[in-house]
Structure formats: structure tokens, C-alpha cells
Amino acid sequence: MTKSYDVIGIGNAVVDVISHADDSFLDQMGIEKGIMQLIERERGELLYAAMKDRVQAPGGSVANSLAGIGALGLSTAFIGKVKNDALGRFYADALRDSGTDFPNDPMAVELPTTRSMIFVTPDGERSMNTYLGAGADISSRDVPDIFGGGGLLFLEGYLFDKDDGKTAFVEAAAKMKATGGRSAITISDPFCAERHRADFQRLIAKDMDIAIGNAVEWMTLYETDDLEAALDRAAAVCDVVACTRSGQDVWVRAGGRKVSAPVVPATVVDATGAGDQFAAGFLYGLASGRDLEVAARMGVACAREVIGHIGPRPQIDMADVFLAEGLI
């Protein structure tokens, strides 16, 4: 019998490799400060070798969300692709040790494990250099049959960039639906929405029950400057539509209902995990049967916690926060 999970994610398995550096090092290596750049394999190996100290952590957008969901007590599994190299073995072991199942063992593939070299300067700025590697090449062959007991499937929009990824998403969503479960997607990036607009719209309309994005992503997807109009179009074809708005109240649409979750201004130390942890709290709420407004407020609480420190995952027990805020 196939093991059942509360939430299954499919995403890019990224090892975050963090190192300290000063501005002169960034200048010397030609690293643009404070942004994320995609790099090629040769440059990735050069930067990795140049790191004077390394702290490694399993990352990736959906994997970060699953870590947050798992920490709240739901059973989780992450479907990703890593090479059988040092970083790939580290990723698989670290994810499993953290409580999220990683059903794919490291593979004998050509491309190295995906990694993001992150250089932190004394002022706290993080300069990210990401080599996509093996993790970006998910196909149907890489998706094991672990859809045994319904639950929730969460998909990462970044992987929708390739035809094999699109096929894998549609097939996985069909398997989840067949077991009585639901499927959700995060748009991930406005450039994803721009490049694959028709396919994204079709996936959300035909295969997704829940869709999450920020204001720019939703307006890009539906080619409009009117956010309300974009969300109305999405909500007409998808059961639950959530929109984060960069420090403003979160908007959620569902079956003609409009919900707003307040966002309290907070000091931002590192915003990189905000979207991932909003998704964690929101999907945890939905997966555990909470009301739409409560789920949205859970998402806001998780995002608020993670922007207050370096790193994309919560550092405190969010169940305690939910209890203090009257959400559980």
C-alpha cells in the first residue's frame, strides 16, 4: 500500500551554500551585490571553490514551504532531483533528517546538483548566484507514485519552464485528483508567467484547485494593471486564489467570497523566504481544515516570522504563534 502524506511538493532541489565575503571580493569576482543571478556550470564551480567558509542548507521554494508545513505537524514528502554527488547526498540526508520524506535517491545523472552560492557581506546583503543543474530537469519519470491517500499537492512554478516539467505537473495533478486530493501551485516568478502565459492559465483553470502568487505575478499572468480584475479572472476558473502584496493586506478569492488578511509592518532582515512561508502557513491552514480567513492569517504570521532573520525557514515554533494570535 502506498504511504499517504498530508502534503506532497514537487520543486527544484537547491542546496544553499552560504559564505561570508566583503565588497572587494564581490568586485573581484564580478558578483552584482544584493540580487539573484543565474549562472552557468563553469562559473558555479569557480564561485564554489572561491568560498572561504561554507554553510550548507537544503533549499528551494517548495521545499522551504514543506519544511514550514512539516514543522507544524503535517506529514510531508518532497519530490526533487539531485545528482549522486556530495551536495546531492547532503540534500537528501538533510531533508530526511528534518522530517520531510525525499523519495528519490540521488541519481546518476550528468548535471551536478542544483546549488545557489550566497555571499553575505558585513551589511547583511545576500548576493545569490544560482546554477540550475539537475533539479531543473524534472520529468514524469522522476515523479514516484506516492499519491496514495489524497491530501494536497504543491507545485513550483519555476519547474514549469520546460515541457517535461509541464507534463509532469499535469500528470501528478491528475493522480492527486484521482485519490480525492487537491493541487496547488505557486507562480514563483513574473518571468515564468510571461514566458508561459497560455500554459499557466490553462493549468490553473483545468488542473489546480489552489493558486498562489504576488500582485506582479497575477497582473503579468493576465496582462492587466488592474489587480482586482486579474484575481477575478483567476477565481472564475480556480477554487482558491491567494495574492500577497508586498507588505499590504493579503487578498484571497474563493467561490465569490473575498477575504483580506491584515499585514502588520515589521522590520525586514531578509525577505527571501516570505513567499515560501506564506504558502506554508496558508496551505497548512487549508490542509488542516481551517477557514479561509484563518488560513490566510496563518500565512501572514509565517511570512512575518521569517523576514525577521536570515534564512528562509522559521526559527521558532509557529504553532505557539498561532495559539497566541487565536488561530488555533
Side-chain angles (χ1 to χ4, degrees):
M1 180 178 176
T2 303
K3 181 178 178 180
S4 62
Y5 297 94
D6 296 314
V7 184
I8 298 169
I10 303 178
N12 198 344
V14 184
V15 177
D16 291 333
V17 188
I18 304 168
S19 178
H20 293 91
D22 55 24
D23 288 344
S24 63
F25 175 86
L26 299 188
D27 291 340
Q28 177 188 348
M29 301 303 294
I31 297 170
E32 191 168 348
K33 186 175 180 177
I35 69 165
M36 193 281 282
Q37 293 179 299
L38 291 179
I39 58 175
E40 298 299 324
R41 178 175 180 173
E42 185 175 329
R43 179 157 173 78
E45 292 172 347
L46 172 69
L47 292 180
Y48 185 80
M51 288 178 145
K52 65 179 182 181
D53 59 348
R54 300 188 189 102
V55 175
Q56 296 178 173
S61 174
V62 163
N64 288 334
S65 298
L66 287 182
I69 293 169
L72 286 163
L74 297 187
S75 60
T76 56
F78 178 65
I79 297 170
K81 187 172 184 177
V82 297
K83 183 174 182 170
N84 188 12
D85 55 17
L87 287 183
R89 291 187 292 273
F90 163 80
Y91 191 94
D93 290 343
L95 208 67
R96 290 163 178 163
D97 289 346
S98 72
T100 293
D101 279 2
F102 190 67
N104 289 341
D105 289 326
M107 302 177 185
V109 293
E110 178 184 354
L111 295 177
T113 295
T114 303
R115 77 282 309 268
S116 182
M117 274 70 67
I118 303 169
F119 295 92
V120 182
T121 42
D123 58 3
E125 284 277 9
R126 291 157 60 89
S127 305
M128 305 172 69
N129 302 265
T130 303
Y131 167 63
L132 290 177
D137 280 341
I138 290 280
S139 70
S140 297
R141 296 183 301 275
D142 303 313
V143 180
D145 188 9
I146 58 172
F147 307 93
L152 184 66
L153 172 68
F154 187 36
L155 305 171
E156 184 175 309
Y158 287 122
L159 291 186
F160 207 59
D161 243 0
K162 299 184 179 181
D163 287 342
D164 282 349
K166 294 174 185 177
T167 301
F169 277 13
V170 170
E171 291 181 0
K175 290 177 181 177
M176 181 57 80
K177 184 176 182 179
T179 69
R182 294 180 291 174
S183 295
I185 192 167
T186 172
I187 299 173
S188 294
D189 190 295
F191 295 110
C192 293
E194 182 77 44
R195 285 191 297 266
H196 306 286
R197 181 173 288 110
D199 286 337
F200 251 116
Q201 290 181 4
R202 188 179 305 112
L203 182 76
I204 289 171
K206 294 185 176 298
D207 301 298
M208 294 297 106
D209 303 288
I210 303 159
I212 301 170
N214 63 34
V216 175
E217 291 161 358
W218 282 119
M219 290 188 290
T220 300
L221 183 61
Y222 289 105
E223 294 183 281
T224 176
D225 293 328
D226 185 339
L227 179 58
E228 293 266 14
L231 296 180
D232 287 344
R233 285 187 62 184
V237 295
C238 186
D239 291 345
V240 178
V241 173
C243 177
T244 58
R245 300 190 304 133
S246 297
Q248 301 180 66
D249 293 0
V250 170
W251 289 350
V252 182
R253 303 278 193 272
R257 184 182 174 198
K258 296 182 178 182
V259 167
S260 180
V263 172
V264 178
T267 300
V268 179
V269 175
D270 178 8
T272 52
D276 301 343
Q277 294 310 318
F278 170 79
F282 183 61
L283 294 177
Y284 167 80
L286 296 181
S288 58
R290 263 70 180 194
D291 174 81
L292 198 65
E293 182 176 356
V294 170
R297 289 176 61 196
M298 287 177 165
V300 169
C302 290
R304 183 179 65 244
E305 190 281 335
V306 82
I307 65 174
H309 57 76
I310 297 290
R313 300 183 178 188
Q315 293 183 347
I316 62 175
D317 189 340
M318 288 307 301
D320 291 340
V321 177
F322 292 169
L323 188 61
E325 297 188 11
L327 300 176
I328 56 176

